[in-house]
Amino acid sequence: MAALPQLPSILSFEDARHVVEQHAAQVVPGDLESVGLLASLGRVLGRAVTADRDFPPFRRAMRDGYAVRAVDLTQLPVILDVIAEIKAGADSRDVPAQIGPGQAAAIMTGAPTPPGADAVVMVEYTSLSGNQVTVTRAVASGDNVVPVGSEARQDQVLLPPGLLIDYSAIAVAASVGRDSLLVFRRPEVAILATGDEIVEANTQPGPNQIRNSNSYSLSAQVQAAGGDPKILGIARDEPQSLRDRIQQGLQCDLLLLTGGVSMGKYDLVEQMLAGCGAEFFFTGAQIQPGKPIVFGRANGKYFFGLPGNPVSTMVTFELFAKPMLEALAGMTARKLVFLHARLKSEIKTKTGLKRFLPGMLSGEFERGEVELSTWHGSGDVASTARSNCYIVIPPDRERIAAGEWVPVLKR
Ligand code: AMP
Ligand code: MG
């Protein structure tokens, strides 16, 4: 039987996260594929999107009002002759060739500012009578006019590769006339559940059996993070079964295993991975839930051995597997950041581990509040499903008083 990995490697949460980030920085994402603009939502951009012309392409009025020469507005009030009306989308023939001294043009937001005019005075500071407008407020040259190319020059990169495409990126792509985008292929993620007590979710479990929920929560998490989950079923706590499935899983871009990484006699996952030539980067992190998390590489493929308790599986995916998956999906690395919210009621825990406890973020507007969910440990998936965040508790805190600001990992 293969030897267990000789590693004293139970790392602090931060060190473990950094180890994953360092490896993630080295992975090469897959090929590119073309998808329709709306189908690109949530995908990772594979090739830069550039400006097809200057933005804005003309001197755009930012307000409804009058296009004027700022020098005409030094003595107030002033009366100007209105020589034209310029609508947004105006034909060039309807834009006066020049605004001369003492002249103005009525102008609408989004319309081209005519030559000679160097500012727009807002309609609120004017009153029109016949063909004459009285202006009661001065403007500086450039006020309420967006210069040509000030947002972007033609051919300038607007969206870089590696960007996670959201609604604002879709707006940019639409504004430069793109109806499809090149995105990275979704990485294939093998998901292998382990355990003699685990049965398929669509079967009736025996009295001491548990339905497989981890393969499904993980598939959902993989999909949400931009991956393509491949469920490999359930391996028995038995060497041959495990080894075969692990080999199969290592064909994918990333392998996620659940269960079998604790200290029990039948927790064989690490041994079997070692037998497949794995190197281990850590075999535990000082966190709860999720302490026995394993991270390594075999046959050039990364794997995570996630603890089997359903909440541990979820939390360790979010904290460790997700950045690796995002890197395989071509996404530019981002750091994990916690939000802060005010604690509604006191929390008491034990020291020693950084805790990620299911919580409920509530409140309104600038008054975010958070409260611990009542839960019964790392197996309590129902309590987690009714929560919407994890409250992060530092390892050195035994008691956190109501009213304190606490870090929160939003779901
Ligand atoms: P293990 O990490 O193998 O020691 O498992 C820890 C706990 O998680 C045990 O109570 C298992 O029954 C449970 N568990 C393991 N795998 C799964 C799974 N795929 N779905 C639901 N529960 C699981
Ligand atoms: Mg097990």
Side-chain angles (χ1 to χ4, degrees):
M1 185 169 288
L4 273 172
Q6 298 163 7
L7 285 168
S9 55
I10 297 187
L11 305 182
S12 72
F13 165 66
E14 291 77 10
D15 285 350
R17 171 79 192 195
H18 286 147
V19 167
V20 176
E21 287 175 359
Q22 279 158 13
H23 284 277
Q26 282 159 37
V27 303
V28 181
D31 307 330
L32 303 184
E33 59 187 359
S34 176
V35 293
L37 183 58
L38 281 178
S40 74
L41 183 68
R43 304 293 299 268
V44 179
L45 190 64
R47 181 117 5 111
V49 170
T50 55
D52 64 329
R53 55 179 182 163
D54 287 343
F55 278 80
F58 53 86
R59 293 199 305 147
R60 187 175 67 218
M62 273 168 67
R63 294 279 187 269
D64 297 318
Y66 292 86
V68 297
R69 296 153 28 98
V71 290
D72 287 352
L73 274 55
T74 41
Q75 301 252 298
L76 296 172
V78 67
I79 297 174
L80 303 172
D81 294 330
V82 179
I83 62 164
E85 182 189 89
I86 310 168
K87 297 191 293 186
D91 192 295
S92 297
R93 285 171 308 203
D94 299 331
V95 179
Q98 187 71 24
I99 299 294
Q103 294 183 332
I107 196 164
M108 314 302 147
T109 301
T113 308
D118 60 351
V120 169
V121 62
M122 288 163 68
V123 70
E124 290 86 334
Y125 308 123
T126 66
S127 63
L128 184 66
S129 168
N131 282 339
Q132 293 202 304
V133 64
T134 304
V135 180
T136 55
R137 190 175 286 203
V139 284
S141 179
D143 276 4
N144 300 322
V145 176
V146 190
V148 172
S150 60
E151 291 163 1
R153 286 288 176 193
Q154 185 171 357
D155 298 327
Q156 190 178 323
V157 171
L158 301 179
L159 304 175
L163 185 96
L164 179 63
I165 299 171
D166 72 353
Y167 57 86
S168 62
I170 285 183
V172 172
S175 70
V176 300
R178 299 290 301 269
D179 56 9
S180 65
L181 291 173
L182 282 172
V183 298
F184 287 103
R185 178 178 65 75
R186 292 181 202 275
E188 280 188 358
V189 182
I191 295 172
L192 177 56
T194 75
D196 284 342
E197 78 283 28
I198 309 300
V199 295
E200 270 315 338
N202 59 2
T203 60
Q204 186 59 46
N208 302 321
Q209 292 180 323
I210 299 289
R211 287 197 184 97
N212 175 16
S213 64
N214 289 346
S215 294
Y216 297 94
S217 56
L218 279 176
S219 292
Q221 288 174 290
V222 163
Q223 270 176 347
D228 180 11
K230 301 272 176 239
I231 293 182
L232 297 189
I234 304 158
R236 300 288 129 223
D237 290 322
E238 173 270 308
Q240 190 60 45
S241 168
L242 270 166
R243 210 178 294 122
D244 291 350
R245 304 286 183 106
I246 288 171
Q247 296 288 7
Q248 198 186 337
L250 290 171
Q251 306 296 311
C252 286
D253 298 303
L254 180 65
L255 168 60
L256 303 178
L257 303 107
T258 78
V261 289
S262 309
M263 299 301 287
K265 185 175 171 193
Y266 298 100
D267 289 326
L268 303 174
V269 164
E270 278 173 66
Q271 274 179 28
M272 292 309 114
L273 284 163
C276 297
E279 47 178 331
F280 293 86
F281 306 122
F282 57 80
T283 53
Q286 300 287 6
I287 59 168
Q288 199 268 325
K291 189 167 177 235
I293 166 95
V294 171
F295 172 48
R297 185 171 51 197
N299 294 350
K301 301 293 175 61
Y302 286 101
F303 62 78
F304 290 89
L306 308 177
N309 265 315
V311 184
S312 309
T313 308
M314 294 174 191
V315 169
T316 49
F317 176 90
E318 293 299 313
L319 297 177
F320 300 110
K322 197 168 163 184
M324 179 56 76
L325 174 52
E326 288 177 350
L328 288 163
M331 205 198 290
T332 303
R334 52 178 173 185
K335 291 289 179 190
L336 185 66
V337 272
F338 303 132
L339 310 175
H340 281 78
R342 216 181 262 284
L343 194 61
K344 267 172 107 172
S345 33
E346 179 192 65
I347 296 180
K348 284 183 177 160
T349 62
K350 295 197 201 87
T351 56
L353 299 173
K354 187 161 211 156
R355 284 164 208 271
F356 296 86
L357 305 181
M360 194 53 144
L361 193 58
S362 60
E364 195 180 22
F365 302 130
E366 289 87 356
R367 293 175 170 273
E369 298 176 320
V370 71
E371 190 171 31
L372 207 58
S373 305
T374 40
W375 80 313
H376 303 99
S378 329
D380 192 350
V381 71
S383 157
T384 306
R386 293 189 302 267
S387 72
N388 61 10
C389 69
Y390 301 104
I391 302 178
V392 186
I393 300 176
D396 58 348
R397 294 296 300 274
E398 240 174 349
R399 173 180 173 272
I400 304 182
E404 267 194 60
W405 289 90
V406 288
V408 164
L409 182 65
K410 186 92 187 67
R411 283 223 307 272

